[in-house]
Amino acid sequence: MYFKYQNTTNLEEHQIAETGKTLDTYRDHLVNVMESGNYEAAESSINLPTDDTLLKNVQELVEKKKTEILKYIIVIGIGGSNLGTKAIYDAIHGYYDLLEPDRFPKMIFLDTQDETILSKVVPLLSSCTSKDELLINAISKSGGTTETMTNLEVLSSSLSQKFPDIADRIVFTTDEGSNMHKKAAELGIDVLLMPKQVGGRFSVLSAVGLFPLALAGFDIDKLRRGAANMRDICGKRVFFEDNPAMASASILYLLSQQGKNINDNFIFLPQLESLGKWYRQLMGESVGKNGKGITPTVSIGSTDLHSVGQLYLGGPKDKITTFVYATENLNGTTVPEELTYNLVPVIKGKKIHSIMNAIVQGTKIAYKNQHIPYMEIGFEKIDEEALGEFLQFKMIEMMYLGKLMEVNTFDQPHVELYKVETKKILEE
Amino acid sequence: MYFKYQNTTNLEEHQIAETGKTLDTYRDHLVNVMESGNYEAAESSINLPTDDTLLKNVQELVEKKKTEILKYIIVIGIGGSNLGTKAIYDAIHGYYDLLEPDRFPKMIFLDTQDETILSKVVPLLSSCTSKDELLINAISKSGGTTETMTNLEVLSSSLSQKFPDIADRIVFTTDEGSNMHKKAAELGIDVLLMPKQVGGRFSVLSAVGLFPLALAGFDIDKLRRGAANMRDICGKRVFFEDNPAMASASILYLLSQQGKNINDNFIFLPQLESLGKWYRQLMGESVGKNGKGITPTVSIGSTDLHSVGQLYLGGPKDKITTFVYATENLNGTTVPEELTYNLVPVIKGKKIHSIMNAIVQGTKIAYKNQHIPYMEIGFEKIDEEALGEFLQFKMIEMMYLGKLMEVNTFDQPHVELYKVETKKILEE
């Protein structure tokens, strides 16, 4: 993964440098948090990639729960409890699940409680011949998430009709000492704990993400290695030129001060749409408060050039764009040398990658000609290591951005506003 | 489907009325276009729902191509060539495809050329035992769409190795007289034509959407009926109170004049995410030009309350929200009377719908308390008729909005900017 911003943001280097410099004290604080290795500070999610106790706990439970015939891992969680896991799953497998009906295990994500989904997922899972084909991972920091408990109660009750002892195919992931933790102990359900200080949107590298991913066969060592390396780059390096999180946060801040209120993540890798959605929560919840905030959007290239491309190139100059694309050929597919239809002759014999690359380059030139600022993130490949790098880069970027915008990056007080009203209605 | 805006937009009724009144002449023009019944005017997509020749052509080709063993309908098209079809397919079937592995036919959408997708879709389709399990519908107005031709050439060439006479399982949909039309004649490929004046984003009710949907078993009569009814409401009714397209366009315009530059479609029906993406193109391309425009976003409830809800409730007041939700119980799923975990006792014995409904109501109250303007669209059910109503409502709304914003609703000149640059690179 690399990050580039030079000469494409409409900002002067010295502006970015001056803004970056104001983050010096906060960067020192991040270094202190890393040296502590514990989970006391609000930023302590940065200690997850090197937490070996965490890794051991996850690996032991994976060993206990994995079976030869595992078909479905059902992740019940919403927001920070599933967005990171889904981002990584979709990037490597999930986006292709319909095209690979025989590849297992598959992950099924239940986030909001949707009546039609539930009416279809129950028969699917009930059609399994053994409970060892299933593993349910219910994830909630507090245990009090309405959607998560609705899905868990319905699924658990329905499945127990066919599999009376389904409890040993259920794992809870929750805060230590939460009601959900106590309930797990009471019912003999295996549990993984997450540090209280680590909020949902910073939790992908905790047991929240590691357990279901490792159970599905993902290489979590590589994921952690990528994150640990990027943490050292983004959390320690002094100069913004060498520190992508600091540079990116400074650019987002400076351009938002100019009135650009949208950060479009224009991703030319359709399998990373869920990664974009993970980032939406990260940015939305971290810096969207006190009347401040930047609205994160996700666009998919080249698809959305045929959708919102007109608006982006011809509409208001209200966006800060982050292009995300592959720098290398991910596999060898090419267009035939002999075209059957020959309606676009220029594609003859070309690699699919080189056509996509031409579209990315063409789009960047068009943005530059229209004076629309952008940054770039290039992926050499899409594997656990590169994804770990990206996730850690963006989480630290958001810590810097929160500092620059003078908000508390780690709270989400306004979420209570609708929850309180909803609770009143449900209790009526 | 119903539309509501009363007392939730922070606008006075007389403001909306005055803006609505300025659309009178244009509404008269729409009536004239309807009376003509032809495809000469830029707005003539409104004549599609009552075009019986179109219906007959589609039905005849469906009869010719449908087979008992049809498993995959591969729609090759991008932007306006697939977004509407995918919106309807996903709303009723597609969103659940992973949960219903044995339901066929399934639609596979190839939009951008993605090398990994192609490396997986070719083996899947080649595993079919008969070409009658497949139908490929390639859709391009001009026939010159790079992505569409790349996907078609690769797929066609790969499949012809197993099925040498695959041509009769291919259908082209294109403009009359286009190069693609000529090529179809040359190669004996069946073709459906679309009216030249109907742009991609207004084409869902032409052969573009009708053919693949009818082949997949969708009730296109109901789809057309819903659209025709809504057309008469939105294209003919004089007073904005009775005319949802006129009211919604006026509200979007007035609020955008106040500096709100984002129209968030907050959809509490996850299966309608693709419908939201269809709307993104409709709004993005229709009114995003000359430095003007409103950025359409899609949020999914209740999922995104746990993601961008904090930003929406606590961040800048830069959004016009359109809530979309189900007004009725779509099916009967309930939470058990006996809770196994009992961590959220209030859900006990409740219908899933009533929990979702409480979240929708709670969210609306929170928005109102924060003085965030919104409109509402309620679906009594999710079927072809209701979807036809929605699509037609939004297409006419966009015509009114373009008029109010003083742009040409029907062109997309800036899309050429990146295409020209891309072409230069591909020709190097």
Side-chain angles (χ1 to χ4, degrees):
Chain A
M1 205 213 83
Y2 69 71
F3 172 73
K4 265 168 55 174
Y5 66 92
Q6 284 81 3
N7 302 317
T8 62
T9 63
N10 302 345
L11 295 166
E12 305 285 338
E13 284 289 289
H14 75 86
Q15 291 177 279
I16 309 174
E18 281 156 25
T19 305
K21 238 177 260 163
T22 66
L23 291 168
D24 258 5
T25 322
Y26 189 61
R27 195 193 44 76
D28 288 345
H29 172 64
L30 292 184
V31 173
N32 288 338
V33 172
M34 279 183 252
E35 279 168 3
S36 82
N38 66 30
Y39 293 103
E40 281 166 24
E43 294 83 358
S44 57
S45 65
I46 59 177
N47 289 327
L48 292 165
T50 44
D51 180 340
D52 292 331
T53 311
L54 161 65
L55 182 65
K56 192 169 143 284
N57 290 342
V58 166
Q59 282 172 333
E60 280 175 7
L61 197 58
V62 168
E63 278 308 307
K64 187 171 166 188
K65 297 297 180 191
K66 76 175 181 192
T67 68
E68 289 290 315
I69 56 171
L70 189 60
K71 278 186 79 172
Y72 294 111
I73 299 166
I74 303 100
V75 176
I76 305 182
I78 193 164
S81 296
N82 85 347
L83 286 168
T85 308
K86 188 163 163 49
I88 298 166
Y89 179 70
D90 283 357
I92 295 179
H93 286 314
Y95 183 66
Y96 314 105
D97 266 350
L98 273 175
L99 305 179
E100 299 182 314
D102 302 324
R103 193 200 58 76
F104 292 105
K106 286 186 161 49
M107 282 196 195
I108 294 174
F109 294 91
L110 297 179
D111 46 26
T112 186
Q113 76 284 305
D114 181 77
E115 48 184 336
T116 316
I117 282 281
L118 279 169
S119 77
K120 293 181 193 280
V121 80
V122 167
L124 176 75
L125 300 180
S126 301
S127 75
C128 289
T129 50
S130 158
K131 64 176 180 160
D132 287 346
E133 293 177 30
L134 307 175
L135 190 291
I136 296 171
N137 187 193
I139 305 166
S140 171
K141 273 185 83 66
S142 64
T145 313
T146 304
E147 291 92 335
T148 304
M149 286 307 140
T150 301
N151 281 322
L152 178 65
E153 293 281 1
V154 171
L155 203 58
S156 174
S157 145
S158 309
L159 288 177
S160 64
Q161 292 169 23
K162 175 148 183 190
F163 307 115
D165 47 355
I166 190 75
D168 70 349
R169 302 305 298 160
I170 298 177
V171 169
F172 283 179
T173 307
T174 185
D175 274 356
E176 178 152 18
S178 72
N179 285 338
M180 195 174 179
H181 185 188
K182 289 174 201 145
K183 186 57 72 173
E186 191 187 316
L187 299 176
I189 288 175
D190 283 304
V191 68
L192 286 166
L193 299 175
M194 53 194 293
K196 214 170 199 118
Q197 282 287 359
V198 173
R201 59 189 178 274
F202 294 97
S203 73
V204 54
L205 300 168
S206 75
V208 169
L210 295 186
F211 174 71
L213 288 167
L215 188 68
F218 283 72
D219 188 336
I220 59 171
D221 286 321
K222 278 173 72 179
L223 180 69
R224 285 159 52 92
R225 193 188 319 139
N229 289 340
M230 189 54 80
R231 176 195 58 188
D232 288 346
I233 292 171
C234 295
K236 291 183 180 166
R237 289 195 185 162
V238 176
F239 298 108
F240 77 94
E241 303 94 317
D242 312 319
N243 186 324
M246 206 181 259
S248 183
S250 299
I251 291 162
L252 285 167
Y253 173 71
L254 288 166
L255 291 173
S256 73
Q257 292 294 100
Q258 295 175 8
K260 296 187 195 300
N261 63 339
I262 298 170
N263 175 210
D264 184 52
N265 296 269
F266 207 149
I267 306 175
F268 284 73
L269 287 156
Q271 65 271 45
L272 299 192
E273 182 170 359
S274 295
L275 187 65
K277 289 184 177 176
W278 169 85
Y279 177 75
R280 262 174 97 226
Q281 181 197 26
L282 182 69
M283 173 174 253
E285 284 194 348
S286 298
V287 301
K289 52 198 69 163
N290 308 344
K292 301 175 182 178
I294 305 171
T295 295
T297 57
V298 182
S299 304
I300 296 302
S302 62
T303 310
D304 283 337
L305 287 169
H306 299 257
S307 163
V308 283
Q310 164 61 37
L311 167 72
Y312 292 177
L313 285 165
K317 298 273 173 68
D318 53 9
K319 293 178 188 71
I320 315 160
T321 298
T322 311
F323 287 115
V324 180
Y325 53 80
T327 60
E328 317 274 335
N329 209 353
L330 296 180
N331 67 50
T333 314
T334 50
V335 180
E337 279 291 342
E338 288 289 319
L339 295 181
T340 310
Y341 310 98
N342 202 26
L343 289 163
V344 179
V346 75
I347 61 177
K348 191 174 76 157
K350 287 223 163 60
K351 286 189 175 140
I352 303 294
H353 175 75
S354 73
I355 300 172
M356 192 63 131
N357 194 43
I359 297 175
V360 173
Q361 300 305 323
T363 305
K364 290 194 307 193
I365 295 168
Y367 269 59
K368 198 153 170 78
N369 290 343
Q370 297 294 104
H371 307 290
I372 303 169
Y374 65 83
M375 300 178 262
E376 299 173 53
I377 294 171
F379 277 96
E380 287 90 5
K381 46 170 140 176
I382 305 296
D383 64 0
E384 292 89 339
E385 187 161 355
L387 293 166
E389 287 175 6
F390 181 92
L391 294 164
Q392 190 66 79
F393 161 33
K394 287 290 165 178
M395 287 190 280
I396 298 181
E397 171 200 80
M398 213 46 63
M399 295 178 196
Y400 288 133
L401 183 60
K403 210 71 202 165
L404 291 170
M405 292 178 71
E406 296 179 334
V407 295
N408 179 349
T409 312
F410 303 98
D411 70 356
Q412 54 281 335
H414 287 81
V415 173
E416 289 310 306
L417 297 181
Y418 87 86
K419 283 191 181 170
V420 168
E421 300 299 334
T422 299
K423 196 157 173 274
K424 277 189 220 161
I425 296 166
L426 282 173
E427 280 169 354
E428 256 164 27
Chain B
M1 203 212 84
Y2 69 71
F3 172 71
K4 266 170 53 174
Y5 67 91
Q6 285 81 1
N7 303 316
T8 62
T9 63
N10 302 346
L11 295 167
E12 305 286 339
E13 283 289 288
H14 74 87
Q15 292 177 279
I16 308 174
E18 280 155 26
T19 305
K21 239 177 262 163
T22 66
L23 292 168
D24 258 6
T25 322
Y26 190 61
R27 196 194 43 77
D28 289 343
H29 172 63
L30 292 184
V31 172
N32 287 339
V33 172
M34 278 183 254
E35 280 168 5
S36 82
N38 66 29
Y39 293 104
E40 279 165 25
E43 294 83 359
S44 57
S45 66
I46 59 178
N47 289 326
L48 291 165
T50 44
D51 180 340
D52 291 330
T53 311
L54 161 66
L55 182 65
K56 192 170 143 283
N57 290 342
V58 166
Q59 282 172 333
E60 279 175 6
L61 197 59
V62 167
E63 277 309 308
K64 187 171 166 188
K65 297 296 180 191
K66 78 175 180 191
T67 68
E68 289 291 314
I69 56 172
L70 189 61
K71 279 185 80 173
Y72 295 111
I73 298 166
I74 303 101
V75 176
I76 305 183
I78 194 163
S81 296
N82 85 347
L83 286 168
T85 308
K86 190 163 162 49
I88 298 166
Y89 179 70
D90 283 357
I92 295 179
H93 285 314
Y95 184 68
Y96 315 106
D97 266 350
L98 273 174
L99 304 179
E100 300 182 314
D102 301 323
R103 193 200 58 75
F104 291 105
K106 286 186 161 51
M107 281 196 197
I108 295 174
F109 294 90
L110 297 180
D111 47 26
T112 186
Q113 76 284 305
D114 181 77
E115 48 184 338
T116 316
I117 283 281
L118 279 170
S119 77
K120 293 179 193 282
V121 80
V122 167
L124 176 75
L125 300 181
S126 300
S127 76
C128 289
T129 50
S130 158
K131 65 175 180 161
D132 287 347
E133 293 177 32
L134 307 175
L135 190 292
I136 296 171
N137 186 194
I139 305 166
S140 171
K141 273 184 82 66
S142 64
T145 313
T146 305
E147 291 91 336
T148 303
M149 286 307 141
T150 301
N151 281 322
L152 177 65
E153 294 280 0
V154 171
L155 204 58
S156 174
S157 146
S158 309
L159 288 177
S160 64
Q161 292 170 23
K162 177 151 182 188
F163 307 115
D165 47 355
I166 190 76
D168 71 348
R169 302 306 297 161
I170 298 177
V171 169
F172 283 179
T173 307
T174 186
D175 274 357
E176 179 153 19
S178 73
N179 286 338
M180 196 173 179
H181 185 188
K182 290 175 201 147
K183 185 58 73 173
E186 189 186 317
L187 298 177
I189 288 174
D190 283 304
V191 68
L192 286 166
L193 299 175
M194 53 193 293
K196 214 169 199 120
Q197 282 288 1
V198 173
R201 59 189 177 274
F202 293 96
S203 73
V204 55
L205 300 168
S206 75
V208 168
L210 295 186
F211 174 70
L213 289 166
L215 188 67
F218 283 72
D219 189 336
I220 59 171
D221 286 320
K222 279 174 71 179
L223 181 70
R224 284 160 51 93
R225 194 187 319 139
N229 289 341
M230 189 53 82
R231 176 195 58 187
D232 289 345
I233 294 171
C234 295
K236 292 183 181 166
R237 289 196 186 163
V238 175
F239 298 109
F240 78 93
E241 305 93 316
D242 311 318
N243 186 325
M246 207 181 258
S248 183
S250 299
I251 292 162
L252 286 167
Y253 172 71
L254 288 166
L255 291 172
S256 74
Q257 292 295 99
Q258 295 176 7
K260 298 189 193 299
N261 63 338
I262 297 169
N263 173 211
D264 185 52
N265 295 270
F266 207 149
I267 306 175
F268 284 72
L269 287 156
Q271 65 271 47
L272 299 192
E273 181 171 359
S274 296
L275 187 65
K277 289 184 177 175
W278 169 85
Y279 177 75
R280 263 174 95 227
Q281 181 197 26
L282 182 69
M283 173 175 253
E285 285 195 348
S286 298
V287 300
K289 52 198 67 163
N290 308 344
K292 301 175 182 177
I294 305 171
T295 295
T297 58
V298 182
S299 304
I300 296 302
S302 64
T303 309
D304 283 337
L305 287 169
H306 298 257
S307 164
V308 281
Q310 163 63 36
L311 168 71
Y312 293 176
L313 286 164
K317 299 273 172 69
D318 53 9
K319 293 179 189 69
I320 315 160
T321 298
T322 311
F323 287 115
V324 180
Y325 52 79
T327 60
E328 316 274 335
N329 209 353
L330 296 180
N331 67 51
T333 314
T334 50
V335 179
E337 279 292 342
E338 287 288 320
L339 294 180
T340 311
Y341 310 98
N342 202 25
L343 288 162
V344 179
V346 76
I347 61 177
K348 192 173 75 157
K350 287 224 163 59
K351 288 192 172 135
I352 304 294
H353 175 77
S354 73
I355 300 172
M356 192 63 130
N357 194 40
I359 298 176
V360 173
Q361 300 304 326
T363 305
K364 289 194 307 193
I365 295 168
Y367 269 59
K368 195 149 173 82
N369 290 343
Q370 296 295 104
H371 308 291
I372 302 169
Y374 65 83
M375 301 176 262
E376 299 174 52
I377 294 170
F379 277 96
E380 288 91 6
K381 49 170 138 174
I382 305 296
D383 65 0
E384 291 89 339
E385 186 160 357
L387 293 166
E389 287 174 6
F390 181 92
L391 294 163
Q392 191 65 78
F393 161 33
K394 287 290 166 178
M395 286 190 281
I396 298 180
E397 171 199 81
M398 214 45 64
M399 295 177 196
Y400 288 133
L401 184 59
K403 210 71 201 164
L404 291 169
M405 292 177 71
E406 297 179 335
V407 294
N408 178 348
T409 311
F410 302 99
D411 70 354
Q412 54 281 333
H414 288 79
V415 173
E416 289 308 309
L417 298 180
Y418 86 87
K419 282 191 182 171
V420 168
E421 300 299 334
T422 299
K423 195 155 172 272
K424 278 189 220 162
I425 297 166
L426 282 173
E427 281 170 354
E428 258 165 25

